Amino acid sequence: MKCPPFSKIQQWVMRIVNASPVILLGIIFAWSFWAYNVHLCLGLFQEGHSIQASFYIFLYHVIFIMCIWSYWTVCRTSPGYTIELKHEEDRIGLLTSSDKPPDHHLMLPITVKRDGNRRFCQKCRLEKYDRTHHCRLCKRCVLKMDHHCPWINNCVGFHNHKAFYLFLVYATLYCLVLFATTLPALIGQLSNVITVEMTTLIHWVVLVFLSGIFGIFLVPFSLFHTRQLCKNRTTIEYYEKANYRLGRRDVMRSKYFNPWDIGTRKNVEQVLGKGPWWTKMIPIQYDQEQQALGNGTCFPINTYAYETLGVNDVDDDDAP
């Protein structure tokens, strides 16, 4: 029997390593579900605190279901890769109207290389659209790439950005609820107001510790991504400079110039959708109406960027 080649073994090992954070989170979620419901809520029922226990169970399960749903969605949804796109002969033209709307769709990409040429990925052998970046871990170009997250073993991009953001929000609420409801019981035990078994006490201590540690990181992380969501800016765009096509030949390199900010409401709608507020809070797929605000390859820009970049100065002959 022949041994598998070293490249295959290396590939299997890397798959296990990449999947380990997801497995770890799965174990933590499963254990916390059991520890919270059995060792805290069931104990409250046994002590006669039925109303408190019922409220805890209801609140916990709503957040838990939404958190797991969002996590499953972001892990299983492709962020959107350029290699998956069919090459269209006709790109969407410039959208203009008599009342000059505050946002514009572009025929040509506005992000270019330093020499002014259009961005092209040498590894994928495909054009890089605006806000598209190559992920060295996924080994593909990702549409509207935000970052590669090891906790989901996936990239965060155009198609799963909503699920990722909702997972952040619900995971933060999950930690806060666990910490806020378990800590009083733990303090009561330490103050000899409540007497429980040592096993239950250990579960309470670990619940408070883990929810506190994860909460310390998740709260500022969620606030950061909420601000980025409202500004219509990805993590890569926040930290890295970009080269923008200025008129026909010039290039403007800037880290703080944000042409994608078309107003808080529309910025949020690009990610969470245009439906009622409750549809924004569930990890459902994008609707057709949302495609008008960006399709992963081109995005509307604000009026300031439209005028600053001199888009009108580009000849029609430059368009593909």
Side-chain angles (χ1 to χ4, degrees), residues 204-220:
W204 287 359
V205 171
V206 179
L207 274 175
V208 171
F209 176 77
L210 289 180
S211 61
I213 292 296
F214 277 96
I216 289 174
F217 292 99
L218 283 175
V219 169

Side-chain angles (χ1 to χ4, degrees), residues 35-220:
Y36 187 84
N37 286 279
V38 174
H39 289 279
L40 181 65
C41 295
L42 183 59
L44 291 174
F45 272 117
Q46 294 174 348
E47 293 179 3
H49 303 289
S50 301
I51 297 179
Q52 182 182 6
S54 300
F55 174 73
Y56 282 4
I57 290 176
F58 173 78
L59 181 63
Y60 173 86
H61 280 81
V62 169
I63 297 176
F64 179 81
I65 291 173
M66 297 306 299
C67 186
I68 295 300
W69 185 8
S70 300
Y71 188 63
W72 172 264
T73 302
V74 72
C75 289
R76 301 295 297 175
T77 302
S78 168
Y81 302 106
T82 56
I83 199 171
E84 296 173 348
L85 297 176
K86 294 181 180 179
H87 297 283
E88 301 178 355
E89 294 183 358
D90 298 327
R91 297 292 302 278
I92 299 177
L94 207 61
L95 295 183
T96 58
S97 62
S98 58
D99 57 351
K100 293 183 179 180
D103 51 85
H104 310 269
H105 284 75
L106 301 177
M107 180 189 301
L108 291 173
I110 62 173
T111 52
V112 294
K113 297 192 294 185
R114 292 193 179 186
D115 58 4
N117 292 324
R118 298 176 69 158
R119 300 163 67 228
F120 186 84
C121 181
Q122 298 296 337
K123 297 180 180 179
C124 295
R125 306 300 299 172
L126 292 170
E127 178 187 356
K128 283 185 178 180
Y129 302 102
D130 283 334
R131 317 185 80 176
T132 296
H133 299 274
H134 186 86
C135 177
R136 61 182 180 83
L137 295 177
C138 295
K139 298 180 180 179
R140 283 175 286 184
C141 285
V142 180
L143 300 174
K144 194 188 175 185
M145 180 177 176
D146 189 273
H147 69 288
H148 185 95
C149 180
W151 293 102
I152 64 174
N153 192 23
N154 198 3
C155 264
V156 178
F158 179 74
H159 290 295
N160 63 355
H161 194 177
K162 177 181 181 179
F164 172 77
Y165 177 73
L166 292 180
F167 169 65
L168 272 185
V169 172
Y170 290 123
T172 302
L173 292 175
Y174 186 78
C175 292
L176 293 178
V177 168
L178 286 184
F179 187 84
T181 55
T182 307
L183 183 61
L186 180 60
I187 294 176
Q189 166 64 22
L190 298 178
S191 303
N192 296 323
V193 177
I194 303 175
T195 302
V196 296
E197 297 180 355
M198 181 58 65
T199 303
T200 299
L201 178 61
I202 293 175
H203 284 291
W204 287 359
V205 171
V206 179
L207 274 175
V208 171
F209 176 77
L210 289 180
S211 61
I213 292 296
F214 277 96
I216 289 174
F217 292 99
L218 283 175
V219 169

